[in-house]
Amino acid sequence: MLKNSILEGRVVTQRTWADIRRHGNDEPTRVALSGEGWQISYGELSARATSQQDGLWLHGLSVVTADRLGQAVIDVLAAQQRFRAALILPEAAAEEYRRGALDAIRAAGGDDPLLASLRGGILTTTSGSTGAPKVVVHDPAGIDRFIEWARERLGIGSETVTLSLSPVNFDVALLDVWAVLSAGGRVHFASSRHLTDGQALGRIIDREGVTMVQSVPALLTLIAGTGAVHHGVNVVVSTGDFFPVPNLRQLETAFPDAERLSVYGSTETNDTFVCDLSRAANGELGSALPGVEYSLEGGELVVHSPYQALGYVNMTAAVWVKRSGRRWFRTGDGAELTDDGGVRLRGRIDRVRKVRGHRVSLDDIEASLRSHPDVTDALAIDAGDVETRVEAIVRTLPGHTTTSLALRSWLGERLPTAAIPSRIWLTASPFQQTPTGKTDRRATHQSLTEKEAR
């Protein structure tokens, strides 16, 4: 077993990366990564990481672009072998987004104590959906602890085959890429052209013998909505948002032999709660992961986790608060306790608006629209420049018969009058995504308004 090294009072491990290298020595012919028309064995993965030439690096960090051909995995492993942390940036990120992350590292400089203390690990960026993207420094020991939990809880082993649907720079990759590789399993990368095609993704699941699928609800709904049944999958994990309760039966039909779970967390804390979707209710988080503590402060969920990040490079630490010498993270999520002692989310605190004197939750509008039988996904935004103007965007199922008027009536039966959007857009197209794979509300709305203006 790899010994821990002490860096400025913190225990930092390299266990995850050492496990992956060990598979290269013990089982060099076992396939580690695959995609459309290509595959990389553990032996090749280890060899390429060892021989990898230095690419772009900045203040001791290796800068890695999150591709879907396995090169990002090689680059991250190469950085670990050189005892460097890897800053993983989205492949499809706009130049402004990428430049912002690199400028943050440059501004911090080589004297930044947090960056200077790193001897491995990874840095990722947040989606930027609530403002400028933040550069998050993950705790190497926290990564090891989370992967240990994931392997035990989800039964991840050498026979696990996962379908990677999110970018490697997205924190969900800790579960469906790095945990699987540390266990000796195989990661199959879906090509970008298949990410909006539920039937194509279903065929990949069956052809590749996929046993674990983790994705955001919109993609899981897309796969489940085809009507195909995938008996070989034994674990399905919904992440990034709540899975719509009205679609749970459809998910069960598509994956009848799988344990179906939802995980809650943030880039800063990693996953902190897990919920059994077979018993899910709207907003309920389920059980806290081992070692996770939480409290409600002024209606906001505050979390301390053994998997949490060390902090930000380019932002103040206002969301981190000290309690008895330990760091807690203010999630920005409104929450309440349930009768059985659990936690139910009430939506983002920053997504509550005043409309004609009434408090309106944009998250409640989205949830109510998603419960309509003709709706596969929905967004609610404040489109006003000065005064609040709530609009909604609804992605409908193929062959639907619903209208904007019918959806307004649907909402009128479930929400206060002030919460009825001033306009509801209907579209059959997938919503646009941020560089980290989350739905981009602003860009989706902007594309519709620009299309209408043409």
Side-chain angles (χ1 to χ4, degrees):
M1 181 163 178
L2 197 68
K3 293 183 178 179
N4 293 341
S5 58
I6 305 298
L7 296 177
E8 300 190 3
R10 287 201 308 274
V11 178
V12 179
T13 79
Q14 291 268 296
R15 187 168 67 245
T16 296
W17 321 115
D19 283 345
I20 298 172
R21 288 197 299 272
R22 176 171 53 79
H23 299 313
N25 294 327
D26 296 347
E27 300 178 280
T29 61
R30 177 182 286 275
V31 177
L33 309 174
S34 60
E36 189 175 16
W38 62 271
Q39 63 180 34
I40 298 173
S41 68
Y42 275 96
E44 183 181 0
L45 183 63
S46 181
R48 289 175 62 176
T50 300
S51 62
Q52 178 79 10
Q53 297 297 312
D54 271 340
L56 176 63
W57 62 288
L58 189 63
H59 292 304
L61 303 176
S62 292
V63 180
V64 175
T65 299
D67 70 333
R68 303 195 65 80
L69 297 173
Q71 186 60 50
V73 174
I74 294 169
D75 291 344
V76 170
L77 291 176
Q80 310 313 310
Q81 292 194 20
R82 292 166 173 77
F83 295 98
R84 285 185 190 156
L87 169 63
I88 314 176
L89 296 177
E91 183 178 39
E95 180 58 31
E96 181 181 2
Y97 183 103
R98 183 180 179 89
R99 185 171 60 249
L102 295 177
D103 285 349
I105 301 299
R106 293 188 183 98
D111 295 331
D112 181 87
L114 187 56
L115 295 180
S117 70
L118 297 176
R119 299 295 184 273
I122 59 175
L123 290 77
T124 62
T125 51
T126 61
S127 65
S129 59
T130 58
K134 308 176 187 70
V135 180
V136 179
V137 183
H138 295 271
D139 184 353
I143 292 174
D144 281 348
R145 285 190 286 265
F146 175 75
I147 286 177
E148 181 179 5
W149 169 83
R151 286 176 58 173
E152 180 178 347
R153 173 63 181 82
L154 304 180
I156 298 173
S158 60
E159 300 304 315
T160 297
V161 179
T162 187
L163 179 61
S164 176
L165 298 170
S166 301
V168 178
N169 60 284
F170 199 8
D171 50 284
V172 303
L174 289 177
L175 195 156
D176 66 10
V177 174
W178 302 115
V180 174
L181 291 177
S182 74
R186 174 164 67 96
V187 179
H188 185 86
F189 289 90
S191 66
S192 298
R193 66 189 180 92
H194 289 146
L195 292 180
T196 57
D197 187 338
Q199 291 184 334
L201 293 175
R203 288 192 293 269
I204 293 171
I205 289 172
D206 295 337
R207 184 184 67 239
E208 298 297 329
V210 170
T211 63
M212 185 175 82
V213 179
Q214 176 189 231
S215 190
V216 294
L219 268 181
L220 292 177
T221 300
L222 190 67
I223 297 169
T226 66
V229 178
H230 309 288
H231 287 286
V233 177
N234 53 45
V235 178
V236 173
V237 181
S238 175
T239 187
D241 204 346
F242 283 113
F243 193 88
V245 171
N247 295 345
L248 286 174
R249 180 60 60 87
Q250 191 179 58
L251 189 70
E252 180 182 1
T253 301
F255 302 101
D257 305 316
E259 182 179 23
R260 297 171 298 280
L261 304 171
S262 175
V263 291
Y264 164 86
S266 64
T267 302
E268 293 86 349
T269 64
N270 213 321
D271 295 331
T272 49
F273 289 81
V274 59
C275 177
D276 183 347
L277 284 176
S278 68
R279 299 190 296 271
N282 273 325
E284 292 193 9
L285 295 185
S287 303
L289 269 62
V292 170
E293 300 175 55
Y294 60 90
S295 65
L296 299 183
E297 299 183 10
E300 180 183 11
L301 180 62
V302 182
V303 174
H304 171 76
S305 166
Y307 322 112
Q308 65 195 24
L310 298 173
Y312 300 126
V313 170
N314 60 333
M315 294 285 173
T316 60
V319 294
W320 297 95
V321 293
K322 279 287 187 75
R323 299 284 187 272
S324 303
R326 297 186 302 167
R327 296 163 56 250
W328 291 65
F329 181 72
R330 295 173 53 192
T331 65
D333 288 323
E336 61 185 6
L337 295 178
T338 61
D339 293 338
D340 60 0
V343 179
R344 180 186 294 113
L345 286 194
R346 302 191 61 179
R348 294 288 300 176
I349 293 174
D350 57 9
R351 281 182 45 82
V352 174
R353 299 291 187 272
K354 272 289 187 71
V355 179
R356 300 188 295 277
H358 299 275
R359 288 171 59 86
V360 170
S361 167
L362 300 178
D363 290 335
D364 285 350
I365 297 172
E366 290 183 355
S368 295
L369 285 169
R370 288 172 184 147
S371 69
H372 191 282
D374 286 341
V375 173
T376 185
D377 205 357
L379 304 178
I381 64 167
D382 180 358
D385 294 326
V386 179
E387 294 184 352
T388 297
R389 187 177 81 252
V390 176
E391 296 186 7
I393 306 168
V394 170
R395 185 181 177 202
T396 53
L397 292 169
H400 77 92
T401 58
T402 194
T403 64
S404 295
L405 181 59
L407 290 172
R408 289 173 62 84
S409 297
W410 177 270
L411 291 177
E413 297 171 358
R414 292 160 175 79
L415 298 174
T417 301
I420 308 302
S422 61
R423 180 170 185 178
I424 298 179
W425 305 73
L426 300 182
T427 181
S429 302
F431 296 150
Q432 296 194 33
Q433 293 185 333
T434 68
T436 59
K438 293 185 177 180
T439 298
D440 192 326
R441 293 180 173 89
R442 297 175 190 170
T444 301
H445 182 259
Q446 183 177 351
S447 68
L448 290 172
T449 56
E450 290 176 349
K451 183 177 179 180
E452 183 181 63
R454 288 199 291 267

